[in-house]
Amino acid sequence: MPSRKHRLHVFGSKLHKWLALFMGVQVLLWMATGAIMSFLKIEQVRSEHVISRQAEPLVSEFPAPQWLIDRRGILALTTKSVGGHPVVQVEREDGSTSLHRADTGRKISPLPRAAAEAVALAAWTGPETSIAGAKLVEDPIGTEFRGPFPAWQITFSDEDQVRLYIDVSSGTILAARSDTWRFFDFVWGLHIMDWTERDRINSWWLLLFGVGGTVIALSGFVLLANRFPRVRRRKVRRPATENSR
């Protein structure tokens, strides 16, 4: 009859085998998705190879904003170029942002579609292309864009379907997305085991599989150690003591 120690060893081996089989699927996904993300260039995922986020240079001469009458609650005044035209961005402490013509002070925000398309074309640095479409978004679009809202979604007709999200209040490029970004986002979700939000790296699933992988590794070492032949120490017999005479 097998000893208790032998039964425990057999049970541990079976448990280790089934745990390894269960964990192996996710470990395979971790390795595969990690390899895919390592292969993809992060600049291409973020469309940085075709989109410049640098501010447009101002024209050499532009009038000062002497038209500003209401100065209450102003946090910052920024003179910049939007769509090739010098404008003044007014930021107030209530969180509002507005754009004004630098010469007359006329309010031009929220930006119309034509102005948003001009901003997108000015930012494009890739091969020659055109704008395929534009729409105003006021709600999150999956994991691709979550605000702030409202914003213009400008889609280019390039092979990667680059999409720019432009703030209607300031003309700022909020995000650049593409089909490559969507693929990377899907792979990232598999890697961190967050299939919905794509940004939770401390989910219970990830913790469970992390702890399970650790248990498998430690139990594997224990089973491996038990398979090594034991080195028996030789018992040194002490010489029999002579009887005292």
Side-chain angles (χ1 to χ4, degrees):
M1 182 177 180
S3 63
R4 180 174 179 272
K5 186 176 182 180
H6 177 74
R7 292 197 303 269
L8 288 176
H9 178 77
V10 172
F11 174 78
S13 298
K14 291 183 178 180
L15 179 62
H16 177 78
K17 179 178 66 177
W18 286 108
L19 281 176
L21 181 62
F22 179 71
M23 292 291 301
V25 176
Q26 182 58 38
V27 172
L28 179 62
L29 281 176
W30 278 339
M31 291 188 293
T33 54
I36 293 174
M37 288 188 294
S38 298
F39 176 79
L40 294 175
K41 295 181 179 180
I42 193 63
E43 294 83 6
Q44 185 174 1
V45 173
R46 296 174 178 171
S47 300
E48 293 177 354
H49 64 302
V50 292
I51 294 298
S52 172
R53 296 179 182 270
Q54 294 183 353
E56 299 178 31
L58 291 168
V59 295
S60 57
E61 296 180 0
F62 63 93
Q66 299 177 355
W67 41 261
L68 190 61
I69 299 176
D70 185 8
R71 300 175 181 269
R72 294 174 299 176
I74 294 179
L75 295 179
L77 293 176
T78 306
T79 304
K80 62 181 185 179
S81 180
V82 174
H85 300 284
V87 299
V88 176
Q89 176 177 305
V90 181
E91 300 177 39
R92 299 182 180 273
E93 60 182 0
D94 60 359
S96 63
T97 300
S98 59
L99 292 179
H100 303 262
R101 288 285 301 270
D103 52 354
T104 64
R106 181 174 64 87
K107 187 177 179 180
I108 60 174
S109 59
L111 288 181
R113 172 174 176 169
E117 290 180 350
V119 172
L121 288 174
W124 181 263
T125 60
E128 184 177 354
T129 186
S130 60
I131 292 178
K135 68 177 181 179
L136 192 66
V137 295
E138 298 181 351
D139 298 299
I141 302 178
T143 60
E144 179 171 305
F145 183 70
R146 300 173 180 174
F149 302 104
W152 282 104
Q153 182 199 66
I154 308 297
T155 304
F156 290 95
S157 57
D158 64 307
E159 294 181 356
D160 208 17
Q161 292 291 297
V162 173
R163 297 170 293 278
L164 290 187
Y165 292 91
I166 300 173
D167 192 342
V168 300
S169 299
S170 63
T172 303
I173 297 177
L174 301 173
R177 301 292 185 254
S178 65
D179 290 348
T180 302
W181 184 93
R182 283 184 174 177
F183 177 67
F184 184 92
D185 184 56
F186 172 74
V187 173
W188 172 250
L190 292 178
H191 189 71
I192 65 172
M193 304 185 70
D194 182 7
W195 304 282
T196 56
E197 299 298 325
R198 309 283 207 275
D199 58 1
R200 296 174 297 181
I201 61 173
N202 57 348
S203 64
W204 283 107
W205 279 110
L206 188 60
L207 179 61
L208 175 63
F209 275 83
V211 172
T214 303
V215 171
I216 288 178
L218 293 176
S219 61
F221 280 116
V222 173
L223 293 173
L224 182 63
N226 289 334
R227 291 181 182 272
F228 281 113
R230 296 182 178 179
V231 180
R232 298 181 178 179
R233 297 182 180 180
R234 295 180 179 178
K235 296 182 179 180
V236 181
R237 296 182 178 179
R238 296 182 179 181
T241 56
E242 298 180 357
N243 296 330
S244 57
R245 293 180 179 178

